[in-house]
Amino acid sequence: MQASTSTLPDAGTGRQILLSHFDDLDQQHLSSNLGMWFFLVSEVMFFSGLIGAYAVYRALSPVAFERASGHMDLWVGFFNTLVLLTSSLTMALAVRCSQIGDNRGIVRYLIATAVLGTVFLGVKGFEWKQEIDHHLLPGPHFVVPAEDAEALRAVSVGTDGQFDPVKYARNLGHFQMMFVLYFFMTGVHAFHMIVGVAAVLIFAVLAQIRWFSGYGTTQIEVLGLYWHFVDVVWVFLYPLLYLIG
Amino acid sequence: MQHHHQSSQLHQSAEAHEQSHHVIAVKTYLMIYLALMLLLALTVGAYFLDMGSHQINLAVAMTIAVVKAVLIVLFFMHVYYSAPLTWITAVGSLLWVGLLLAFLLADYFSRGWLDILGK
């Protein structure tokens, strides 16, 4: 129907450009939406693999996981969860503004979302710094704190009720494994956040210069789907990593 | 109103149009946000509550997380108002996760059941 370039007169107006390979605007919208959903399904599988590994190791050494989780500050995690849920609200409101054609609202809420996302990342970086300073980053410098080693020694008993050195070694290993999973899960989550913040900022600029046709309803909604998904991942990571035991 | 003008022009079905352009009230978003905040407080509260066993604590924490996720998916991600195909895709992800976790855990936790040599 129309060519797909933003230099057409329709760009920057309320009228959305229909790309030539779609029948109508609703089909175009549904296709974009569905494309993002397919990607998100693959993302669900990606994070589920990690959660599966977490489930197996935690079931093998529950006490090691509880002791390791004790080193994470649940109130810092609480604050970050609150920040992320709030960013989802501002993202949802940005999508709503694009639906009702409030361009200033889009820019305002997208910037609010990016700021909240950046706050989350800053707090997360501060947490990582603390843990690395306490030798809790897996690798050659990892040290199991003495009181945790003591607690794990106490639960490493064989079926005969005697101390079992093999079990003890496994518990120490799984204590470190909890931190491997912690750094990997929060790391890939933070990577998704960085990508999200960058995309949100780019979209804020594009909305500001009125680059989108139809106020970018489809594009901003699809970006919103990604942002909310990253939020959903954190909703599961928070209790699994911070709230054990 | 511009959208309605377009839809009549392009002969789109009213249903398809509603699915791609449903505008949720700000009040609804705020209610969902409030519910998410309450559930967050509930998760932390449940952590401090001794419920007898860690399994029960885990089950409660995961139940709250699932409720939060469902609220986000249905309202913030608009799935509640979306086309059936979006529903199938979203729910389909649960099917894959279910298969992944069920077979993974079934493998790991049944290994010790039989005393098979060289296992």
Side-chain angles (χ1 to χ4, degrees):
Chain A
M1 207 182 150
Q2 283 164 349
S4 60
T5 151
S6 62
T7 53
L8 283 176
D10 275 350
T13 70
R15 195 187 166 96
Q16 185 139 33
I17 294 170
L18 180 68
L19 299 180
S20 58
H21 50 286
F22 292 113
D23 291 337
D24 57 46
L25 288 173
D26 288 332
Q27 188 201 35
Q28 177 173 275
H29 182 88
L30 179 63
S31 303
S32 299
N33 231 299
L34 212 53
M36 180 49 89
W37 268 107
F38 285 153
F39 171 65
L40 294 185
V41 172
S42 78
E43 289 272 83
V44 168
M45 291 306 284
F46 172 75
F47 281 102
S48 297
L50 291 170
I51 288 174
Y54 170 95
V56 168
Y57 282 109
R58 182 171 165 181
L60 288 174
S61 299
V63 180
F65 269 54
E66 283 160 26
R67 299 295 306 192
S69 174
H71 291 276
M72 288 138 203
D73 190 332
L74 83 102
W75 291 113
V76 175
F78 174 85
F79 173 77
N80 251 356
T81 312
L82 199 141
V83 167
L84 212 53
L85 289 174
T86 310
S87 81
S88 256
L89 175 70
T90 56
M91 187 72 229
L93 291 174
V95 173
R96 189 179 185 279
C97 285
S98 77
Q99 290 174 327
I100 60 171
D102 174 4
N103 204 60
R104 291 189 63 178
I106 298 171
V107 177
R108 205 165 45 225
Y109 283 123
L110 284 182
I111 288 174
T113 306
V115 167
L116 289 165
T118 309
V119 168
F120 176 92
L121 286 168
V123 172
K124 198 77 220 112
F126 171 76
E127 274 185 277
W128 284 331
K129 168 98 177 54
Q130 296 264 306
E131 283 137 9
I132 293 167
D133 286 348
H134 288 99
H135 300 282
L136 293 172
L137 176 70
H141 301 294
F142 188 86
V143 178
V144 179
E147 67 273 20
D148 294 310
E150 208 44 57
L152 291 176
R153 177 180 282 274
V155 294
S156 304
V157 285
T159 41
D160 54 355
Q162 296 295 311
F163 172 69
D164 184 341
V166 178
K167 265 192 178 171
Y168 180 52
R170 202 173 64 179
N171 272 327
L172 290 180
H174 289 172
F175 180 88
Q176 185 168 186
M177 181 53 83
M178 167 61 167
F179 282 96
V180 172
L181 290 166
Y182 166 80
F183 277 100
F184 199 74
M185 285 164 140
T186 57
V188 287
H189 178 265
F191 174 74
H192 280 79
M193 290 287 298
I194 292 167
V195 171
V197 168
V200 166
L201 285 176
I202 291 169
F203 273 51
V205 171
L206 293 179
Q208 177 64 32
I209 64 169
R210 295 180 175 269
W211 185 84
F212 296 115
S213 68
Y215 299 102
T217 311
T218 303
Q219 294 92 327
I220 294 170
E221 190 177 312
V222 165
L223 176 68
L225 289 178
Y226 173 81
W227 189 270
H228 297 310
F229 166 77
V230 177
D231 192 8
V232 167
V233 171
W234 184 259
V235 160
F236 285 97
L237 292 189
Y238 176 55
L240 288 178
L241 298 174
Y242 292 77
L243 305 176
I244 311 181
Chain B
M1 288 306 99
Q2 216 159 353
H3 293 303
H4 293 289
H5 171 65
Q6 278 178 349
S7 58
S8 57
Q9 196 182 18
L10 294 165
H11 309 291
Q12 293 165 320
S13 79
E15 195 185 7
H17 186 74
E18 170 65 13
Q19 281 160 357
S20 54
H21 295 281
H22 186 94
V23 181
I24 302 174
V26 174
K27 199 180 158 193
T28 310
Y29 281 128
L30 290 175
M31 295 289 279
I32 298 298
Y33 177 67
L34 198 70
L36 289 171
M37 287 295 119
L38 288 175
L39 287 165
L40 171 60
L42 204 64
T43 317
V44 178
Y47 167 76
F48 288 111
L49 217 64
D50 184 19
M51 280 178 275
S53 84
H54 292 315
Q55 274 80 10
I56 298 174
N57 267 316
L58 177 66
V60 169
M62 284 300 100
T63 306
I64 295 172
V66 168
V67 173
K68 279 161 85 178
V70 166
L71 284 179
I72 294 171
V73 169
L74 286 186
F75 295 98
F76 283 179
M77 294 169 95
H78 297 173
V79 167
Y80 185 79
Y81 306 96
S82 294
L85 206 50
T86 312
W87 271 93
I88 291 169
T89 313
V91 175
S93 68
L94 297 179
L95 176 77
W96 299 121
V97 171
L99 283 172
L100 173 73
L101 293 181
F103 283 93
L104 185 80
L105 298 181
D107 173 19
Y108 273 95
F109 298 120
S110 60
R111 283 186 188 188
W113 292 0
L114 295 173
D115 215 11
I116 300 167
L117 208 63
K119 140 179 84 100

